[in-house]
Amino acid sequence: MRIDIITVVPDILKSPFEASILQRAIKKGLVEIHLHNLRDYTTDNYKTVDDYQFGGGAGMVMMIEPIDKCISELKSEREYQEVIYMTPDGERLQQKMANRLSLHENIIILCGHYKGVDQRVRDQFVTKEISIGDYVLSGGELGAALLCDAVIRLIPGVLGNETSALTDSFQDDLLAPPVYTRPAEYKGWEVPKVLTSGNFPKIEAWREEQALERTRKLRPDLLKDE
Ligand code: ADE
């Protein structure tokens, strides 16, 4: 998978890909991340990427021309399945969306800033608008990093069997069950006996029951179709 990220602050997007699972995925060649500084697509000496909004009002708006130049250049080199715009008024990011996006070969992620982008960018180039939650960030970069993490870990080969994404919370509309590791007893606090019983059907049944109970208690909205 190849992900092209268009941003005015590429520095924010460096460290998430320089450690742990995402770094390993890149090193293994399972994903390519390309950061594009929007200022490199400007034509004036000041490298202007934003301007006042027509009609007046506070806040600057990201201009269409540098974005058009960047997206057109990328599209002339390969086909993209989605051009995603990170924005608080987009569709809320959920596991199912991450699952679907992980199947794509090439995607572009455009990070908004200031008051957002000229509406014509959204009308002409953007195929999907994603929000990471009902709050406003200073820009789309942190949302883009988060989206990349959620998507990349689903690419086959990124996680080993021992950390398979299939058992994550939300994969079956349930929260994950509690987990324990050694020691089996610490300061008198014991691990549930069933987990050390060696009886795997029983362990599986316990996990399912716990997942359901946890979901009922913490996220009953996930069970609305039950
Ligand atoms: N940019 C600013 N706020 C955002 C949000 N909540 N989700 C995605 N992109 C954003």
Side-chain angles (χ1 to χ4, degrees):
M1 184 181 203
R2 174 184 169 119
I3 306 178
D4 288 274
I5 308 179
I6 306 173
T7 166
V8 285
V9 270
D11 283 354
I12 298 183
L13 280 157
K14 287 189 179 139
S15 69
F17 302 106
E18 288 173 351
S20 189
I21 288 170
L22 302 190
Q23 184 192 44
R24 213 166 347 118
I26 293 168
K27 282 194 175 154
K28 277 191 191 169
L30 297 168
V31 67
E32 281 179 35
I33 304 289
H34 296 267
L35 302 179
H36 305 278
N37 188 338
L38 201 53
R39 294 188 198 281
D40 295 341
Y41 297 84
T42 54
T43 44
D44 65 316
N45 288 341
Y46 300 102
K47 297 187 180 293
T48 312
V49 291
D50 60 331
D51 207 339
Y52 295 102
Q53 52 180 312
F54 280 126
M60 305 295 272
V61 175
M62 286 169 72
M63 299 157 78
I64 189 167
E65 191 180 355
I67 297 173
D68 179 17
K69 283 213 170 88
C70 184
I71 292 178
S72 300
E73 192 177 301
L74 291 172
K75 280 185 173 173
S76 72
E77 287 159 3
R78 67 197 64 75
E79 212 172 290
Y80 286 89
Q81 286 76 49
E82 296 280 11
V83 177
I84 296 166
Y85 174 49
M86 301 307 299
T87 174
D89 53 10
E91 187 184 344
R92 187 91 62 87
L93 176 62
Q94 301 223 319
Q95 190 61 44
K96 284 187 181 67
M97 196 194 284
N99 291 351
R100 260 180 254 126
L101 290 174
S102 74
L103 302 174
H104 291 326
E105 212 168 309
N106 303 309
I107 61 172
I108 291 173
I109 304 178
L110 170 64
C111 303
H113 253 265
Y114 320 114
K115 274 278 165 206
V117 295
D118 186 308
Q119 181 60 37
R120 289 168 293 183
V121 169
R122 300 170 78 159
D123 297 342
Q124 301 299 327
F125 307 126
V126 170
T127 59
K128 194 171 193 57
E129 302 189 332
I130 299 180
S131 163
I132 59 158
D134 287 344
Y135 40 84
V136 179
L137 304 166
S138 339
E141 285 74 15
L142 294 176
L146 199 146
L147 172 64
C148 287
D149 188 309
V151 168
I152 292 168
R153 62 197 299 287
L154 298 170
I155 297 171
V158 170
L159 299 182
N161 259 349
E162 73 283 4
T163 46
S164 166
L166 295 174
T167 54
D168 285 344
S169 280
F170 303 111
Q171 276 301 3
D172 45 10
D173 285 333
L174 290 178
L175 301 183
V179 291
Y180 299 86
T181 187
R182 287 187 290 181
E185 190 250 298
Y186 180 73
K187 292 187 176 176
W189 304 317
E190 286 181 10
V191 166
K193 286 273 181 295
V194 60
L195 294 178
T196 51
S197 68
N199 182 335
F200 292 102
K202 229 169 132 184
I203 291 171
E204 205 39 50
W206 180 86
R207 286 185 172 146
E208 276 172 31
E209 187 190 295
Q210 289 288 317
L212 198 60
E213 193 179 311
R214 215 178 223 198
T215 311
R216 263 198 209 111
K217 195 165 150 207
L218 302 174
R219 290 294 305 276
D221 55 301
L222 295 175
L223 296 169
K224 56 187 177 303
D225 297 330
E226 204 189 17

